Each structure stands twice: as structure tokens, then as C-alpha cells.
Amino acid sequence: MTETLGSTPISTKLERIAKLAKEAPGMAFTTLAHHIDIDWLKEAYRRTRKDGAVGVDGQTAEEYAANLEENLLGLLERAKSGTYRAPPVRRVHIPKGDGSQTRPIGIPAFEDKVLQRAVAMVLEAVYEQDFLDCSYGFRPGRSAHQALEVLQHETVCMAGGWILEIDIRKFFDTLDHGHLLEILRRRVRDGVLLRLISKWLNAGVLEDGQLSHPEAGTPQGGVVSPLLANVYLHEVLDSWFERDVKPRLRSGAFLVRYADDAALVFSREDDARRVMEVLPKRFGKYGLALHPEKTRLVEFRRPDRRPPQDQGGAGGNRPGTFDLLGFTHYWGLSRKGRWVVKRKTARDRFSRALKRVADWCRQNRHQPVREQRQALARKLVGHFGYFGITGNYVALHRFREGVQHAWRKWLSRRSNRARMTWDKMGKLLQRYPLPQPRILKPYAPAQ
């Protein structure tokens, strides 16, 4: 395991690490950093986004690339010798939920992103052999749409049940450094890698010119942060649910998790309530807290499986809905008259996306109309690319109409004489049409 691989291709090195990890699931790797050489850093540089925001040093990817070989050699020497100093991350805030709150995002320096990518490549080769199928967030070859498809299919096959929505309060801000390093050491004991991770955890945050050093958390936005979050929640939730919880249940259950968003589905209400009761203790053991209002149990049985007195009608108790990954999930009839789980854009995500477009229109209303149309078209295509799934066409159409209204409103405010009537707007849209809604993820619901 400690042999030097020389000029071996990066893909071969990754395959070898993965093979060792898969063959020895209980083994802790003591030597991994030797895989990171100049070729490894070049590959990490290639995989690093070049158009992201700059960190605290203000250095762009283009500036770093001007002297790439020398920069990477210096980075490699400092990382291996222990003299590398992780710079603080620059913190910015983006809207969260309905836009009334914000989410802090950390932006590392570009060189730091390259080194984080190099370390993440090593760790990913190890932990991809450990992660369970229920985990979909920030993993190669996996996506939010796959998580939604599995959730829909398994729930329909189960004829519904009870959904336990999990909301971890400020997960990325409260992730415990001590617990994380303890979890990592069970699989990775390489001193170089652990030292680098410790430096990133303690690098500090620069916000409004003030430097702080939080005792917990990992900046959301860092290259290595999603992988560390997956390692943490694999131990806290995934493996615990599979190893300790499921064998004690009286009926079927499954888990779907995307980063820190998760839903547990149970066939029986008593199983769901028992797990809901112990879940806060489990998370509290690792320094995490569940949001008391957003973590909730939802009755989601198929409507025809519910007692007659609970099946809709005048004064009836209709089955509940739940949100996950930006979609509201609810029961509905397919064209063949069968009960399926349908999805539509969640209200908070719809409002937040539309508000962002309206803010953009306000800030850019004096730009040439052609350029505004091109930017709005990109935003619509991006929205349709994620929310364009089977059964969600109505919400896509409403979103496009909302974008048109926002565009007209702010075109009317370009000057005192720029009033944009709907007649004028119709002619403008004929010349500069916006993309029509499209279903881009037309997977078939389980029957």
C-alpha cells in the first residue's frame, strides 16, 4: 500500500486506492498523501472551477495559471512539509428559503481550492466504497433527480406510509470538528491529510473585514466541505439507520439523503414515531440539533389505503404533503387512473427563484434589451433544467409568466416615458421570445 506509483496515470491511482478500500472496509489507511504529486495537482487544477469568485487574496484562476508549474510545485512542497498555511475563507450571504433569511457561503482562495480538490480526490476514492446507496448528494454519478426518482418509486411500491422530514439546524455551521476528525481517523490516519483538513477547519472566516475562528462548522462552499459533510452524516445517520434501526423495525422503511436534506419513509406509524423519538438524541450525540418545527412526521399513505373516514370529501382529512430538494410531493392519479406520487415546485423555492429574477431585472433594466433577453433565457433554461420533471409543467408555465411580468415591470421604469404596455410587451416578446417550458426529466412514475 505504500509503494510509489511514479508516473502511473491518475485514474489508475484512484482505481488502486478504491480497490484497496473496497477489499478492506475496516482498514485505516496510514499512507495516502504520497499519491499526491505534481501530476495529481495538475489534475486537481484541471477539475477546479476557473470562473468562481475570488478568495481573500483576490487572485484569479487566470493569474494563478500564468505561472502554473512553479505555483503547483511550491504548493506541493508546502503541503507535504507541513508549512502550508490555509488562508481564511471569504464569507458572503445568499438568500435562503423564502428570501427572508440568508445562507452563509465560504469562498476559499483559488490555490486553496486546488489543494482541497487534490485531497478530496484521495478521500473520495476511499469513502465511495463505504457510502450507502441512500446517499446522493455531491457524489460522482449521482444527482438530486436520481434521489427524487428513488423516493417516488419506493414510496409508490410501499403504497405510502409515514414520512419523517429531517431538517438539521445550521448543519454546516455546527459540524463538530472533534467528532469529524475522530470519524475520519477510523478510515484515514495519514498525518499529512489529517493535518491539512485540521488547518481548513480552523482557517477562520473573513466577513466585513473581521476575522473570526469558529470552533465548529465547515464553510459551505469549500471544495472539500461536501465530502466531509457526507462522511459525517454517513456515520451519524446513514449507517446507523441501516445497521441499528432497520433490524428493529416491525415493517419496511427506507432513507433518501442528499447532503443535509433527508427523508425517512416508514410503512408503520409506530415505527416512525419510535425513530422520531430517538433521532434528536442520536444527532445530539454528534453536536447536531434538529429544527423542532421543520422536522416533522407526515402521514403519506396512499389515499385508497386510508380509513374511509379519513379519505377526503367534505370535512375529510386529506393525505399530507412533504417537501424535499425543492419539490412538494403529493398523491395524485396517473392518466391510467392509478395512484402515483407527483411533484411540483415547492412554494418557497418558486418564490425565491422569481424574486431573484425580479431583482436582476431591476438592477439591469438599463442594459440593452437583447442582452437582457439572453440573460433571462439562460435563467429560464437553468430553472427548467432542474424543475422540468414529469407533472410539473403548470409550475414551469407559471414561472415563465412571472418572469415576463417582472421584465415588463422593470422595462417600464427605465425612464418616465418608458411605460411598457402589454401591447408593446407582446411585440417585444415576438422579437425577443423567452424559452418555452420544457420537461427535461421525463422519467416514468412507478405503476
Side-chain angles (χ1 to χ4, degrees):
M1 187 170 60
T2 60
E3 67 174 311
T4 302
L5 301 179
S7 59
T8 306
I10 303 302
S11 60
T12 303
K13 291 184 180 182
L14 290 170
E15 290 173 3
R16 190 172 300 180
I17 297 171
K19 183 173 183 291
L20 285 170
K22 187 173 184 178
E23 292 176 347
M27 180 182 68
F29 286 79
T30 57
T31 54
L32 284 171
H34 68 282
H35 295 302
I36 301 178
D37 54 18
I38 188 62
D39 291 330
W40 191 284
L41 283 183
K42 287 180 179 178
E43 176 62 16
Y45 167 80
R46 187 188 70 81
R47 297 187 185 188
T48 302
R49 280 187 57 185
K50 312 299 189 297
D51 58 349
V54 297
V56 294
D57 59 357
Q59 186 178 47
T60 65
E62 184 179 352
E63 292 168 346
Y64 193 81
N67 199 11
L68 183 62
E69 187 84 15
E70 184 176 339
N71 286 334
L72 292 181
L73 284 171
L75 177 61
L76 180 64
E77 193 280 328
R78 284 177 283 135
K80 292 293 185 71
S81 66
T83 59
Y84 180 77
R85 297 184 62 183
V89 298
R90 183 171 67 87
R91 175 173 284 175
V92 297
H93 292 265
I94 63 172
K96 176 183 177 182
D98 60 2
S100 60
Q101 297 180 332
T102 61
R103 182 194 306 275
I105 297 294
I107 304 174
F110 182 78
E111 183 177 65
D112 207 41
K113 293 179 184 178
V114 174
L115 186 56
Q116 286 192 33
R117 177 64 63 193
V119 172
M121 287 162 58
V122 179
L123 296 180
E124 187 177 86
V126 174
Y127 282 103
E128 272 301 309
Q129 317 314 311
D130 298 348
F131 291 153
L132 303 180
D133 285 342
C134 62
S135 168
Y136 290 88
F138 305 107
R139 294 181 58 190
R142 289 179 162 241
S143 69
H145 287 107
Q146 290 176 335
L148 290 166
E149 184 174 1
V150 168
L151 177 64
Q152 185 266 350
H153 176 76
E154 294 296 327
T155 305
V156 170
C157 290
M158 188 185 283
W162 279 261
I163 311 292
L164 181 52
E165 288 186 75
I166 294 179
D167 187 281
I168 306 173
R169 176 178 282 172
K170 297 183 178 180
F171 170 71
F172 282 92
D173 294 334
T174 58
L175 186 149
D176 186 272
H177 295 172
H179 284 303
L180 173 60
L181 292 172
E182 179 185 347
I183 293 169
L184 286 170
R185 289 190 188 100
R186 298 174 192 170
R187 203 68 162 113
V188 177
R189 294 180 186 167
D190 184 292
V192 173
L193 298 187
L194 291 176
R195 183 169 59 240
L196 286 172
I197 293 171
S198 295
K199 288 183 177 182
W200 287 321
L201 293 175
N202 296 287
V205 174
L206 186 66
E207 183 176 5
D208 297 329
Q210 299 294 319
L211 179 63
S212 61
H213 292 82
E215 296 181 357
T218 176
Q220 193 171 357
V223 175
V224 78
S225 294
L227 178 57
L228 297 180
N230 271 337
V231 170
Y232 205 76
L233 288 175
H234 169 76
E235 173 63 25
V236 175
L237 181 60
D238 301 356
S239 60
W240 170 74
F241 184 74
E242 189 70 28
R243 179 187 66 240
D244 298 333
V245 175
K246 288 178 70 174
R248 293 175 168 83
L249 299 179
R250 299 178 64 183
S251 190
F254 67 92
L255 162 69
V256 172
R257 182 177 66 81
Y258 189 94
D260 59 331
D261 292 322
L264 290 84
V265 186
F266 301 86
S267 290
R268 295 176 58 100
E269 182 180 8
D270 55 350
D271 283 339
R273 293 198 177 279
R274 284 165 54 206
V275 174
M276 187 176 185
E277 183 178 345
V278 301
L279 208 56
K281 300 176 185 176
R282 176 66 183 180
F283 277 79
K285 178 181 177 181
Y286 290 88
L288 301 175
L290 297 178
H291 197 293
E293 297 176 0
K294 297 181 180 179
T295 298
R296 64 191 188 111
L297 187 62
V298 179
E299 183 180 357
F300 199 70
R301 286 182 291 175
R302 204 171 72 190
D304 63 335
R305 295 290 184 91
R306 294 159 58 85
Q309 64 270 22
D310 292 343
Q311 292 185 19
N317 179 25
R318 297 181 60 83
T321 64
F322 68 96
D323 291 353
L324 186 70
L325 299 177
F327 290 90
T328 296
H329 299 71
Y330 63 99
W331 284 104
L333 291 173
S334 69
R335 292 182 179 179
K336 295 182 179 180
R338 296 171 179 170
W339 287 108
V340 295
V341 175
K342 296 187 175 183
R343 292 154 299 269
K344 61 183 178 181
T345 309
R347 182 180 300 177
D348 62 337
R349 290 291 292 270
F350 185 95
S351 301
R352 183 176 67 192
L354 200 55
K355 183 179 184 300
R356 285 181 177 177
V357 172
D359 288 343
W360 185 92
C361 290
R362 175 178 58 82
Q363 295 167 4
N364 295 272
R365 61 186 182 274
H366 294 299
Q367 297 296 323
V369 173
R370 181 187 298 274
E371 294 181 11
Q372 291 187 48
R373 184 267 169 194
Q374 290 174 346
L376 290 174
R378 289 193 296 269
K379 295 178 187 299
L380 280 169
V381 169
H383 185 88
F384 298 158
Y386 183 76
F387 290 102
I389 67 174
T390 301
N392 198 36
Y393 185 86
V394 172
L396 301 184
H397 181 72
R398 285 179 51 234
F399 185 78
R400 182 179 182 273
E401 285 189 333
V403 170
Q404 289 184 173
H405 278 78
W407 194 18
R408 186 191 75 86
K409 172 183 176 180
W410 290 108
L411 286 177
S412 294
R413 287 162 172 74
R414 285 158 67 98
S415 70
N416 292 332
R417 296 179 298 175
R419 176 171 172 76
M420 178 66 67
T421 65
W422 275 113
D423 183 58
K424 291 182 180 179
M425 189 66 186
K427 295 177 181 178
L428 183 143
L429 288 172
Q430 287 181 351
R431 184 175 182 182
Y432 300 107
L434 295 176
Q436 293 292 333
R438 293 182 60 194
I439 300 298
L440 301 175
K441 306 290 181 182
Y443 53 82
Q447 298 294 320

